[in-house]
Amino acid sequence: MAKRKRTQTLAIMENRQRQGRGRGDGPDYKPWLYVHDVASRGRSSRIASGGRVVHTLSDWETAAFRDFQWDPTVVEVKEQFPLVLEDTLRIAAEMKVRHPSDGRPREPIVMTSDFLVTRMVNGRLEHTAYAVKENGALDLSLARTRGQMVSIRRTRQKLEIERRYWLEREVRWDWLTEDHLSKVRKANIEWVLGVKPDPERPAGYWERAMGAVHEAIANGGSLTMDQLARELDVAGTLPRRDFPSAVRLLCAKRAMAFDMDRAFALSRPVSDFAVCVEAQAEAEAA
């Protein structure tokens, strides 16, 4: 099978514009770049979220998206967000640096921000654009060869174009590296949000299960989570096999929390988990 061409030409960019790439809100948003459009910077992912498929191009982008997904102030995440070509061309000229280009002959291409995130803060919508990079792509002190040094300097030039672009629009811009992101946290968030309780249980079963686990954890004392699960099973309150699902549901509804930067394990003590009475009451009423 022939490899998919991943160059960006004027014709390709015009076709993406016709497709509505980079436009829309909520479930109607279409990223400028899909996973199959580019050679990924690591493991790319397609994530079902918010009524559409989110396209991330590396493990670190996926980790960043999971963090945004878990943040209760975030109301929308737009990945692979396109920047206006005429503006980035002007900024590059002002900086006296080469604008990103592709194809043969080489043509200027549309630059993108990895994420444009909208948050509700104190009753106001605030926007922040993010670039997601590994430290090795940014830190000149980590360069071991002249080629690596040239690559890092070029990456920083492109990021400066991006930063100035958003500065002109009075939008905050930042970069995220592995220093800001955690693969353990990513795995925990995916574990929590991916819960799919057995639909064959009777009506109201999972609400009662969550209530029982919530109360037991609040009074769990020095027990481990596994010991608590065994106690509830022996007492006939909740089968042990359903305990993890009830825990995940509680966390997904913010009725219970734990340190997301430490891997979840049933061997952890109950004291590692905090319960929120108000959130549980809301979950039971929903």
Side-chain angles (χ1 to χ4, degrees), residues 194-256:
V195 59
K196 294 180 180 179
D198 187 347
E200 300 300 319
R201 296 288 190 266
Y205 176 87
W206 289 109
E207 287 74 15
R208 292 190 294 274
M210 284 190 291
V213 172
H214 191 271
E215 181 180 357
I217 288 175
N219 301 299
S222 60
L223 296 176
T224 66
M225 293 291 278
D226 192 49
Q227 289 170 333
L228 188 62
R230 291 174 184 272
E231 281 197 357
L232 291 174
D233 192 1
V234 170
T237 304
L238 181 70
R240 188 182 172 198
R241 67 179 181 276
D242 288 341
F243 182 84
S245 291
V247 168
R248 294 167 72 184
L249 286 167
L250 284 167
C251 291
K253 294 177 180 293
R254 310 282 177 161
M256 192 175 76

Side-chain angles (χ1 to χ4, degrees), residues 7-273:
T7 56
Q8 293 192 58
T9 64
L10 180 59
I12 289 173
M13 291 189 292
E14 288 176 344
N15 185 51
R16 288 175 185 166
Q17 289 175 336
R18 286 193 295 270
Q19 293 173 1
R21 300 280 195 99
R23 299 198 295 273
D25 296 301
D28 297 323
Y29 174 72
K30 294 181 179 180
W32 182 256
L33 299 173
Y34 290 173
V35 162
H36 60 253
D37 291 328
V38 296
S40 66
R41 302 181 293 275
R43 184 171 55 187
S44 57
S45 298
R46 297 175 177 87
I47 305 166
S49 178
R52 68 178 183 88
V53 175
V54 174
H55 293 249
T56 60
L57 306 182
S58 69
D59 275 341
W60 291 118
E61 281 191 18
T62 302
F65 175 73
R66 291 304 190 188
D67 261 14
F68 300 142
Q69 199 176 25
W70 190 246
D71 183 345
T73 68
V74 169
V75 296
E76 185 169 27
V77 178
K78 294 182 177 181
E79 79 282 13
Q80 323 310 336
F81 188 84
L83 313 185
V84 177
L85 180 58
E86 291 79 4
D87 290 344
T88 56
L89 282 168
R90 172 180 50 77
I91 293 169
E94 291 170 353
M95 292 173 56
K96 296 181 173 56
V97 301
R98 288 182 296 110
H99 189 281
S101 61
D102 199 1
R104 287 185 174 83
R106 298 189 73 81
E107 300 172 349
I109 62 173
V110 171
M111 296 180 64
T112 59
S113 285
D114 294 327
F115 294 101
L116 179 61
V117 179
T118 302
R119 293 179 174 87
M120 180 66 73
V121 181
N122 298 324
R124 294 176 59 253
L125 291 177
E126 295 185 359
H127 305 288
T128 306
Y130 292 95
V132 180
K133 300 290 182 185
E134 293 189 31
N135 278 327
L138 299 172
D139 191 343
L140 284 168
S141 69
L142 298 178
R144 296 292 177 265
T145 67
R146 186 177 184 280
Q148 289 174 346
M149 188 169 295
V150 170
S151 177
I152 291 172
R153 284 175 175 159
R154 180 57 179 155
T155 295
R156 294 178 74 100
Q157 285 179 352
K158 290 187 286 187
L159 290 177
E160 179 62 12
I161 295 173
E162 187 178 339
R163 185 191 72 81
R164 294 188 187 194
Y165 176 94
W166 289 112
L167 180 63
E168 290 183 351
R169 285 158 172 76
E170 298 183 340
V171 172
R172 180 171 172 262
W173 177 88
D174 202 356
W175 67 36
L176 299 173
T177 70
E178 59 264 41
D179 291 340
H180 307 93
L181 303 168
S182 162
K183 289 188 177 181
V184 171
R185 181 179 178 84
K186 166 185 169 289
N188 280 333
I189 294 171
E190 289 174 340
W191 181 77
V192 167
L193 297 181
V195 59
K196 294 180 180 179
D198 187 347
E200 300 300 319
R201 296 288 190 266
Y205 176 87
W206 289 109
E207 287 74 15
R208 292 190 294 274
M210 284 190 291
V213 172
H214 191 271
E215 181 180 357
I217 288 175
N219 301 299
S222 60
L223 296 176
T224 66
M225 293 291 278
D226 192 49
Q227 289 170 333
L228 188 62
R230 291 174 184 272
E231 281 197 357
L232 291 174
D233 192 1
V234 170
T237 304
L238 181 70
R240 188 182 172 198
R241 67 179 181 276
D242 288 341
F243 182 84
S245 291
V247 168
R248 294 167 72 184
L249 286 167
L250 284 167
C251 291
K253 294 177 180 293
R254 310 282 177 161
M256 192 175 76
F258 64 98
D259 183 355
M260 300 293 275
D261 291 317
R262 291 180 56 200
F264 175 87
L266 289 175
S267 59
R268 288 175 61 173
V270 172
S271 57
D272 281 357
F273 296 80

